[in-house]
Amino acid sequence: GLKQYSADIKNVRANLATVRFDMPSEPTTRLNDVGSGKPVFFLPPIEGIFETLKDLARNLNRPVIALNWMKTMQELKDIKKVSDFYKDRLKQLMPEGNYDIVGHSFGAIVGIHMCRKHVPINTLLILDPSDAGVKDDWSTDERFEIVFVYLRAFMPERILFRIQKEVMEIKGETQRINKLIELLKHYGGKHLVGKDVDEIIKGSFERAEMVVRYRKKNIAKMQTLKHSHTTKMIKRQIKNINTDVTVVKL
């Protein structure tokens, strides 16, 4: 058991060493070195940085531009405001529209809302992480589940389960988040790179809160309508959307 635990710790530290926990100060970042072709825009995932999407970007044969989540955006507290912000940013970058967009987790929700509001998106590719949800025997806040799914990319199930158990046994949201940050730093050790670990984890919960509120709002809206009315409304809305949408599930 100790041997396996030691191997798991080495695994976690090697994985976390590949991540720079630094929030960008510029509105966009190039994620690959391709110099020509129509750009692909990446919306920010739940963590607000693009470390988990860099391998994908490097394998694309078109320029990939990250639409960054910056410290100055902290006042954006709902999906609508975030969508409006990125709609304006895209218009500045490519006034003619016809955007090709990739959205993962939080970015997927933002992309969906942009489609609903008829932003001129040509293609929306949604990378859906929902099948990776970590299930447990205690009542888990949805926001914590979303953040645990993100952390699962860097650590074995045993370590993640240990972290999840320690965090969720604590009472109080702020205390739980602080405990998660403390454990992340503990398991990452000196291999954890970057000055914004605290802000990125806390920001992940704020973005997760937006996702949960957006989802609940839309479910409640559907439940207030009769089924036949809902179906007609959905069909009518779909007819007005010209975007090609593909959902890639795990």
Side-chain angles (χ1 to χ4, degrees):
L2 286 173
K3 209 170 182 180
Q4 184 60 61
Y5 180 71
S6 176
D8 285 347
I9 295 296
K10 285 181 181 177
N11 186 341
V12 171
R13 289 181 175 172
N15 288 338
L16 289 174
T18 65
V19 181
R20 282 204 69 88
F21 288 93
D22 289 322
M23 292 184 70
S25 56
E26 299 296 324
T28 60
T29 303
R30 287 291 296 270
L31 295 182
N32 64 9
D33 297 324
V34 180
S36 62
K38 184 183 175 187
V40 180
F41 297 99
F42 279 25
L43 288 165
I46 200 71
E47 62 273 26
I49 54 176
F50 291 88
E51 298 295 325
T52 54
L53 296 173
K54 280 186 175 177
D55 282 345
L56 172 62
R58 292 187 190 109
N59 279 282
L60 296 181
N61 60 0
R62 291 163 57 184
V64 177
I65 299 174
L67 301 172
N68 289 330
W69 183 277
M70 300 174 290
K71 292 182 181 181
T72 54
M73 295 169 63
Q74 302 301 335
E75 72 277 4
L76 302 178
K77 297 295 184 184
D78 62 54
I79 295 294
K80 181 182 180 301
K81 288 179 181 176
V82 174
S83 299
D84 288 343
F85 177 87
Y86 287 119
K87 178 185 75 174
D88 294 341
R89 177 69 60 206
L90 284 165
K91 196 170 183 179
Q92 291 173 3
L93 295 168
M94 214 168 123
E96 67 272 23
N98 203 34
Y99 315 118
D100 293 331
I101 290 177
V102 174
H104 172 59
S105 60
F106 177 74
I109 302 296
V110 173
I112 288 168
H113 188 77
M114 290 168 78
C115 277
R116 289 176 60 189
K117 297 304 176 183
H118 310 299
V119 175
I121 298 170
N122 176 54
T123 302
L124 174 63
L125 185 67
I126 294 171
L127 306 178
D128 181 8
S130 59
D131 289 345
V134 181
K135 302 301 177 185
D136 49 66
D137 297 328
W138 52 83
S139 176
T140 307
D141 184 300
E142 278 187 82
R143 294 165 303 166
F144 282 87
E145 284 200 14
I146 291 169
V147 175
F148 288 140
V149 167
Y150 161 61
L151 293 177
R152 196 183 196 190
F154 305 105
M155 51 191 67
E157 199 71 39
R158 287 177 294 271
I159 299 293
L160 182 60
F161 181 81
R162 187 186 288 244
I163 289 174
Q164 188 178 13
K165 190 172 187 300
E166 283 193 53
V167 168
M168 299 314 293
E169 284 177 345
I170 295 173
K171 291 184 179 179
E173 179 186 299
T174 302
Q175 291 84 347
R176 283 179 176 179
I177 293 172
N178 289 337
K179 184 65 176 178
L180 178 57
I181 293 168
E182 177 194 318
L183 289 169
L184 190 62
K185 289 178 177 178
H186 167 72
Y187 284 107
K190 64 182 181 181
H191 300 274
L192 212 59
V193 181
K195 62 185 183 302
D196 297 324
V197 177
D198 293 44
E199 282 187 80
I200 285 168
I201 297 301
K202 288 175 182 177
S204 298
F205 281 97
E206 291 175 2
R207 287 180 286 276
E209 170 68 21
M210 292 186 225
V211 170
V212 172
R213 275 194 281 114
Y214 185 79
R215 185 189 302 156
K216 287 181 176 177
K217 180 182 174 183
N218 282 284
I219 290 171
K221 190 184 292 183
M222 291 295 186
Q223 288 174 343
T224 60
L225 301 169
K226 291 182 179 178
H227 177 70
S228 59
H229 188 178
T230 305
T231 305
K232 287 176 184 175
M233 183 184 72
I234 291 171
K235 285 181 178 177
R236 188 168 64 248
Q237 285 192 346
I238 286 174
K239 281 182 180 178
N240 294 328
I241 294 174
N242 298 317
T243 301
D244 288 327
V245 181
T246 301
V247 180
V248 181
K249 298 184 74 69
L250 282 171

